[in-house]
Amino acid sequence: MNKIKTLLSIETLAAVLFFLMLQPVFVWRVNMFFITYLLVFILILNYDISRKNNILFFFLLLILSIVPIHGGRNIFGLLSVILFAFIPFVKVNFLNKTYRVFKLIFVIITAISLFIWIGLFLGISFPSTVVPPLNDLKTYNYLSYTFLVVPAHFSSFGRFCCVFDEPGAVGTYSLILLYISNFDFKRIDNIIILIAGLFSLSLFFYIALFIFLCCNLFLTSNSFKARFITILSIVIFSISIFNIPILKEAIGVRIEYDSSTGKLVGDNRSGKELDDYIESIKGTNKFYWGDSDEIIEYFAGHAGLQTAILKYGIIFIFLYFIFFLCFAYSKTTKRNLFLFMILLLATLYQRPGFVNPGYLFLFTNAVMWGGNNVDSKNLLLTYR
């Protein structure tokens, strides 16, 4: 009875809605109006009204209002953005339960998706349908299987996308979830997430995983056995990406330094034209507050912090980081604050979902539970 009660709880509904906000294939080309405001309503009901939250809450509210006001959105567009300022300030018990269900949803879907993906690699046929892409930036359709999408131009054993439009999305979400659980690979759910991240062949995932493994090695007081396993993993990881052909092509070659651009070969977050344009608008209102819709659309094929500057402006980005710095400082240890800021900077450089409620939710949980090894254990039991 308790298990059924938990499954039918408001936290389960919130977890489903947060997952949908990450734009899996189920909501491609779907109007998100109802989903957005249902989630906002749930967040308001679970807001933790306390004096210590009020200052930071209104600070985030002010920051998020920059985007819709500058973009000239109507009242609904304004509310759909700024009201997600409630996410970091919901009741702790609600946040904890919602995150646990969210992770369980992610793991179950990912496990099924990996099963289908490996089956395709082995030549097994599964029923599929052709679906149009998430947005018009993609010029190809996808083959949609049960909890798996494969870009039509990929081979059946291309990079793992799970239910998302890009393998980079899998790498990003997987890394954040592993961070929240303190990279505890003794748990089967974290192993599934790790496999998903590795099969996504996301450059971000591999580099960030390497960085955090090194951080855990030097910043934690693990046993000799744990340190030995970490060092061994780093060595195997380093050798593999330069010697296993598929990893060398997908990762090894891409982490080489390109002296002509001053970037890694695989850093495709921007191009020379975009870099030159950003340089040309420095010191102007466009750089500080964001550029026109026409310019944003022109460079829409790029991703990363440069496009975020065009979309939001450097002032918004700076204040966003200041908010999470203050929020994390008030909630966690100095060690975890340091690690979280690395995670935040790396994630938003790779995939700048500043106002996406799914990212706000994940970042909030990274602050609250990162380093504290929160997992899905006893998820379906009654919480105290």
Side-chain angles (χ1 to χ4, degrees):
M1 189 67 181
N2 287 334
K3 293 181 179 182
I4 296 175
K5 182 179 179 180
T6 301
L7 284 173
L8 298 179
S9 68
I10 195 70
E11 290 85 2
T12 297
L13 176 58
V16 171
L17 296 176
F18 273 121
F19 185 81
L20 294 180
M21 286 294 177
L22 296 180
Q23 297 183 305
V25 64
F26 324 121
V27 294
W28 290 4
R29 308 281 175 158
V30 170
N31 189 318
M32 299 291 286
F33 181 89
F34 175 76
I35 294 174
T36 298
Y37 282 98
L38 177 58
L39 181 55
V40 167
F41 178 71
I42 293 173
L43 294 173
I44 293 174
L45 288 180
N46 288 277
Y47 176 64
D48 183 9
I49 303 174
S50 63
R51 185 176 298 177
K52 64 180 180 180
N53 283 338
N54 288 341
I55 295 177
L56 279 177
F57 169 72
F58 284 108
F59 181 42
L60 181 58
L61 199 69
L62 176 65
I63 295 169
L64 293 180
S65 68
I66 293 174
V67 176
I69 291 175
H70 181 265
R73 297 191 187 184
N74 59 29
I75 185 63
F76 291 108
L78 176 67
L79 293 176
S80 67
V81 174
I82 66 173
L83 290 182
F84 285 118
F86 284 100
I87 293 173
F89 305 105
V90 293
K91 298 170 184 175
V92 173
N93 197 39
F94 170 82
L95 180 69
N96 185 288
K97 293 179 183 179
T98 302
Y99 169 73
R100 290 170 182 265
V101 179
F102 174 91
K103 184 181 180 184
L104 182 64
I105 293 170
F106 187 94
V107 169
I108 291 174
I109 289 177
T110 300
I112 297 172
S113 186
L114 281 169
F115 176 80
I116 301 295
W117 186 79
I118 293 172
L120 292 174
F121 174 77
L122 296 175
I124 301 173
S125 296
F126 295 95
S128 65
T129 57
V130 177
V131 295
L134 170 64
N135 52 52
D136 295 332
L137 295 176
K138 303 292 190 301
T139 58
Y140 47 83
N141 291 324
Y142 290 73
L143 296 178
S144 178
Y145 300 88
T146 303
F147 295 143
L148 172 69
V149 290
V150 177
H153 67 285
F154 277 18
S155 62
S156 61
F157 48 89
R159 296 170 61 189
F160 179 63
C161 292
C162 193
V163 291
F164 305 105
D165 69 324
E166 293 182 357
V170 179
T172 301
Y173 305 147
S174 297
L175 193 281
I176 299 175
L177 291 172
L178 290 176
Y179 171 86
I180 295 172
S181 60
N182 202 27
F183 298 93
D184 178 12
F185 297 126
K186 296 189 294 292
R187 295 196 52 79
I188 185 63
D189 52 355
N190 291 334
I191 293 294
I192 291 171
I193 294 171
L194 174 65
I195 292 172
L198 293 174
F199 282 159
S200 74
L201 298 180
S202 162
L203 182 62
F204 164 81
F205 181 84
Y206 278 78
I207 292 177
L209 181 64
F210 177 82
I211 291 172
F212 281 109
L213 285 177
C214 291
C215 287
N216 275 350
L217 181 63
F218 294 108
L219 297 179
T220 59
S221 56
N222 289 329
S223 64
F224 173 80
K225 179 181 178 181
R227 287 177 178 270
F228 175 77
I229 293 174
T230 301
I231 293 173
L232 183 63
S233 300
I234 291 173
V235 171
I236 294 174
F237 173 81
S238 302
I239 293 174
S240 298
I241 62 176
F242 290 107
N243 290 278
I244 297 177
I246 188 171
L247 291 180
K248 183 177 181 180
E249 180 181 351
I251 306 297
V253 173
R254 295 167 66 199
I255 62 175
E256 295 177 358
Y257 180 74
D258 186 350
S259 58
S260 64
T261 62
K263 301 177 180 179
L264 298 181
V265 171
D267 185 356
N268 59 359
R269 298 295 93 189
S270 66
K272 187 178 186 305
E273 185 180 11
L274 176 56
D275 292 340
D276 290 342
Y277 183 78
I278 291 292
E279 193 65 32
S280 72
I281 64 171
K282 283 185 177 179
T284 68
N285 283 335
K286 293 179 180 179
F287 183 75
Y288 293 129
W289 300 103
D291 214 318
S292 65
D293 291 339
E294 291 75 16
I295 292 295
I296 294 171
E297 184 176 353
Y298 179 78
F299 288 109
H302 297 278
L305 203 55
Q306 300 283 51
T307 55
I309 292 173
L310 294 180
K311 193 171 183 179
Y312 306 119
I314 197 67
I315 290 177
F316 169 85
I317 295 172
F318 175 75
L319 292 175
Y320 190 93
F321 282 116
I322 291 297
F323 164 77
F324 269 109
L325 179 64
C326 295
F327 180 68
Y329 181 79
S330 68
K331 298 292 184 181
T332 190
T333 64
K334 290 182 179 179
R335 169 193 172 274
N336 289 343
L337 170 63
F338 171 72
L339 293 175
F340 170 73
M341 292 310 295
I342 293 176
L343 176 74
L344 184 68
L345 289 166
T347 303
L348 293 178
Y349 176 83
Q350 148 77 5
R351 191 169 291 273
F354 286 91
V355 298
N356 185 306
Y359 278 86
L360 284 169
F361 174 72
L362 289 174
F363 290 148
T364 299
N365 281 284
V367 169
M368 298 297 293
W369 323 122
N372 298 321
N373 198 20
V374 170
D375 53 44
S376 300
K377 187 177 182 180
N378 298 325
L379 175 66
L380 300 181
L381 299 181
T382 302
Y383 293 88
R384 295 179 181 178

